[in-house]
Amino acid sequence: MTLTRRTFLAAAPAVALTAGTLPLVTKARADAPAAAPGNILIVVANEIAHPTMGFPLGFWAAELTHPYAELVAHGHAITIASLQGGRVTVDAYSDPRHESGYSAQDFVSLGFLTSPKHAPLLDATAALADINPADHAAIIVAGGQAPMFTFRENTALQGLIRAFYDARKPTAALCHGVSALVDVKLDDGSYLIAGKTVTGFSAAEDAYVDEVLGAKLFNWWVEPAMRERGANYTDRGMWANYAVADGNLITGQQQNSGGSVARLILEQLAS
């Protein structure tokens, strides 16, 4: 398939996130008890150009908007941050208004991106350097395409993850956002995810995307990288809504898992 903005990921199966969807969530209940309101930090990627193919990469809309909606509905405030701060953009195919129709059923993202109150939040995100973990009850690292090139080796993001994890606050990442976890180390030099049960965008899903593109989108994949760090990687099949908690480390398989990740956070905050 020839790579164009129109054909990119157009053949991949989109999973509609509707009221009838039954998420696969480990150690969480759909009716998690309410927690005292707090501020939740959601980290998204700044836009970059793909290093070989040139088209813009950002964050995946649903990985911000679905956790945002779930957490706000339970009384929590949200701070959106990015590596450099300032304006951030969504990956084109995650925008429900995109001509491909790939995310057309994502009404949560559509509402966020067209809301006069919420859309401007993407023009002025906080910079990681200005974030004090003590001001936040939990962290979520959202994924998308840019994180695979900007998150893994970012020491500021690694330090932020460690601060939340060491404070035993819910420390979450989903989809390709788990790239930020791969090289995080504990004080004893071991990897944070070693021995942990985790999930993230599967190798099968990454292989499918490359097949659709007829090109290699990323030069590494999160599933084998997490396994190399000693993690117990799990998934529930391609495009599954699946999230897992191992202690206060929470991971979600991909873009359909944002609400499930948020519910695991709510349960931990209420415990």
Side-chain angles (χ1 to χ4, degrees):
M1 176 180 290
T2 301
L3 176 65
T4 68
R5 290 298 297 277
R6 180 181 293 275
T7 59
F8 179 61
L9 284 183
V15 178
L17 297 174
T18 67
T21 300
L22 297 177
L24 289 167
V25 186
T26 300
K27 301 180 185 176
R29 301 186 307 274
D31 59 346
N39 189 290
I40 312 297
L41 180 67
I42 303 181
V43 179
V44 299
N46 297 99
E47 182 180 301
I48 61 168
H50 191 282
T52 59
M53 291 181 272
F55 53 81
L57 309 177
F59 71 94
W60 201 266
E63 296 175 38
L64 166 67
T65 63
H66 286 255
Y68 187 107
E70 187 78 28
L71 294 165
V72 167
H74 285 79
H76 294 277
I78 307 295
T79 295
I80 304 172
S82 59
L83 302 188
Q84 287 83 43
R87 186 172 184 270
V88 294
T89 58
V90 301
D91 285 322
Y93 278 78
S94 73
D95 189 331
R97 301 164 294 183
H98 189 262
E99 60 187 3
S100 68
Y102 179 76
S103 297
Q105 301 300 319
D106 186 359
F107 300 116
V108 174
S109 294
L110 179 63
F112 189 103
L113 295 173
T114 59
S115 165
K117 176 181 178 181
H118 298 93
L121 298 176
L122 302 184
D123 293 328
T125 63
L128 288 194
D130 297 328
I131 296 297
N132 181 355
D135 295 335
H136 306 279
I139 184 174
I140 301 174
V141 182
Q145 296 160 12
M148 290 294 288
F149 298 96
T150 61
F151 277 7
R152 181 171 179 176
E153 298 178 354
N154 189 282
T155 56
L157 182 54
Q158 290 180 16
L160 199 61
I161 290 168
R162 268 291 309 274
F164 279 87
Y165 181 80
D166 288 346
R168 302 206 57 78
K169 296 178 179 180
T171 304
L174 68 153
C175 195
H176 289 110
V178 302
S179 59
L181 301 175
V182 171
D183 291 332
V184 178
K185 289 185 177 182
L186 303 177
D187 285 338
D188 63 4
S190 65
Y191 288 104
L192 186 154
I193 60 174
K196 298 289 196 306
T197 297
V198 298
T199 189
F201 207 72
S202 70
E205 290 164 330
D206 270 320
Y208 182 90
V209 172
D210 284 356
E211 181 180 357
V212 170
L213 287 177
K216 195 168 182 61
L217 183 59
F218 306 127
N219 58 11
W220 68 286
W221 293 345
V222 293
E223 178 185 339
M226 296 176 89
R227 292 186 186 277
E228 288 171 6
R229 296 301 189 223
N232 173 30
Y233 175 87
T234 61
D235 66 61
R236 288 296 181 269
M238 291 176 62
W239 321 113
N241 178 359
Y242 171 61
V244 60
D246 190 331
N248 63 316
L249 180 65
I250 298 168
T251 48
Q253 183 176 331
Q254 39 103 341
Q255 67 261 26
N256 299 318
S257 309
S260 298
V261 165
R263 286 187 286 276
L264 285 168
I265 290 173
L266 289 169
E267 182 171 275
Q268 292 198 2
L269 291 177
S271 63

